[in-house]
Amino acid sequence: MTGSPGRPSPGQVTIADVARHAGVAASTVSYVLSGKRAISEVTRARVLASIRLLGYHPNAGARALASRRANVIALVLPLRSGMQVPVVMQFATAVVTTARRHDHDVLLVTSDEGPAGLRRIAASALVDGVLLMDVELDDARVPLLRDLALPSVLIGFPAEATGLTCVDLDFHEAGAACVAHLAGLGHRRVALLGAPAAVYERGTGFAHRTRSGVSEAAARHGVQVVALPCEEGAADVRRTLTALLAEHPDISALVVQNEAAVGPVLATLPTLGRQVPRDMSVVAICPDQFAEQSAPMLTSVPVPAEEVGRQAVTLLMSKLRDEQVPEATLLAPRLTVRDSTAAAPAVHAVDGH
């Protein structure tokens, strides 16, 4: 037998069964479950006891109909060329984990449909809100976001973010922090090895903000900087470094913002006569795990994927409750000094030629 005499099996229990068992109206059980109306503590305890005893589980579809909520949010994450998939997945994992804490599931949307994809999601009524990643400076999705009734949060910042809710690492300050650290060690010739060219060509916000932060800090600290995109493969990294050092042999430090290029950069430099950090200091903007697993361990500004994902979901949940949220949430960068940076070699530390 699956249940006691006169008691329905757990899978067959209805809200009416709970009401009869607790000696209350079905509407009272509904109010206890939804919290939409104040119920006395005595009655609430009796209803909850009946729910536990009978093994009642509210039907998710019925809950959604009653609340007009799907309890699902969309994570719009178009998989494009030049994206660092392991890092992107850290963001996605943080979003999914945090959403579950709020009793929401996540619909992952990876097609690169632009505004049409957002319209499709909004028209489907499948989700309560949307998170957007890989935000471009002139993102075609932004005007539509402002018009849709669907609550949204952007992980990243477009050039014009007024009226939107955005969260991200302050990449401008991250780039500036890297240059300030190197300038403090006496480096006066620095190169930024940035994201792959496709990322800049799309106008992806984080890459351009980092580059502007590096450039502005270099001007403040009297540092000459060369900024160039960097592809991911070992052969591409070798070509980039060989050409860079042939044209600028006095460069004594690198800022790397390309997680997939970190390993090849560290492997290639010694073959070009540059030991790290004796001849060449290297600082990276990357997750801590990349920095800590490198040899030597990298001085770095971490990309706080878990914190950004958590904050993005928290902001979206607040918007779903019609609560006020800040338009801009910028996480301050934190530079951790490890083994890959040192004082500039004397020949490179001299100002002038």
Side-chain angles (χ1 to χ4, degrees):
M1 293 179 65
T2 57
S4 301
R7 183 186 301 170
S9 299
Q12 302 170 341
V13 177
T14 67
I15 200 168
D17 296 323
V18 174
R20 278 193 296 273
H21 190 273
V24 298
S27 59
T28 301
V29 178
S30 179
Y31 293 141
V32 169
L33 291 169
S34 67
K36 290 182 178 178
R37 188 172 295 184
I39 301 294
S40 75
E41 193 56 40
V42 172
T43 301
R44 181 175 179 276
R46 192 162 74 244
V47 170
L48 291 176
S50 295
I51 287 172
R52 284 193 296 271
L53 186 64
L54 297 178
Y56 173 65
H57 298 289
N59 177 269
R63 281 204 312 270
L65 286 172
S67 64
R68 296 187 180 179
R69 289 277 179 85
N71 276 28
V72 177
I73 60 175
L75 175 60
V76 180
L77 175 53
L79 296 180
R80 298 162 167 168
S81 61
M83 293 182 72
Q84 301 299 313
V85 175
V87 179
V88 167
M89 287 301 104
Q90 290 183 13
F91 282 98
T93 299
V95 166
V96 170
T97 302
T98 308
R100 284 309 314 148
R101 295 192 191 114
H102 291 274
D103 197 29
H104 277 65
D105 291 311
V106 176
L107 173 66
L108 184 60
V109 182
T110 58
S111 58
D112 191 3
E113 298 178 88
L118 282 181
R119 287 194 192 93
R120 179 173 58 81
I121 293 167
S124 72
L126 289 173
V127 302
D128 302 323
V130 60
L131 300 174
L132 266 71
M133 287 189 65
D134 203 42
V135 177
E136 300 166 3
L137 292 175
D138 297 310
D139 202 303
R141 300 169 296 182
V142 165
L144 180 61
L145 276 184
R146 290 193 171 99
D147 294 337
L148 287 175
L150 194 65
S152 63
V153 173
L154 287 76
I155 297 177
F157 282 76
E160 177 50 61
T162 304
L164 303 171
T165 305
C166 305
V167 58
D168 208 354
L169 173 67
D170 190 336
F171 280 99
H172 185 279
E173 287 303 313
C178 294
V179 172
H181 171 66
L182 295 171
L185 293 171
H187 295 277
R188 291 295 177 264
R189 308 289 186 270
V190 174
L192 167 65
L193 298 183
V199 175
Y200 290 101
E201 290 164 5
R202 285 198 300 270
T204 306
F206 77 86
H208 284 274
R209 293 182 195 282
T210 302
R211 189 165 64 183
S212 68
V214 166
S215 297
E216 289 181 21
R220 284 198 307 272
H221 291 282
V223 173
Q224 292 184 9
V225 65
V226 177
L228 64 163
C230 183
E231 304 306 316
E232 301 170 0
D236 287 320
V237 168
R238 184 174 185 83
R239 279 193 293 271
T240 299
L241 284 175
T242 301
L244 173 68
L245 296 177
E247 188 173 351
H248 304 280
D250 55 352
I251 282 175
S252 63
L254 300 175
V255 178
V256 182
Q257 189 187 24
N258 183 333
E259 293 84 0
V262 166
V265 165
L266 293 176
T268 300
L269 284 171
T271 71
L272 299 177
R274 302 295 182 100
Q275 296 297 322
V276 179
R278 186 191 68 195
D279 307 308
M280 181 75 73
S281 287
V282 179
V283 58
I285 301 173
C286 66
D288 275 334
Q289 70 183 70
F290 284 86
E292 292 168 352
Q293 293 171 3
S294 297
M297 289 196 296
L298 281 168
T299 295
S300 69
V301 174
V303 177
E306 183 175 340
E307 177 65 10
V308 171
R310 185 187 66 79
Q311 291 219 24
V313 174
T314 301
L315 287 165
L316 185 56
M317 293 300 146
S318 294
K319 295 184 77 168
L320 292 176
R321 294 190 296 267
D322 295 322
E323 297 172 1
Q324 291 295 314
V325 298
E327 287 192 354
T329 301
L330 279 169
L331 304 186
R334 170 181 55 82
L335 186 140
T336 300
V337 178
R338 296 189 180 91
D339 302 332
S340 65
T341 51
V347 66
H348 295 307
V350 176
D351 287 326
H353 304 293

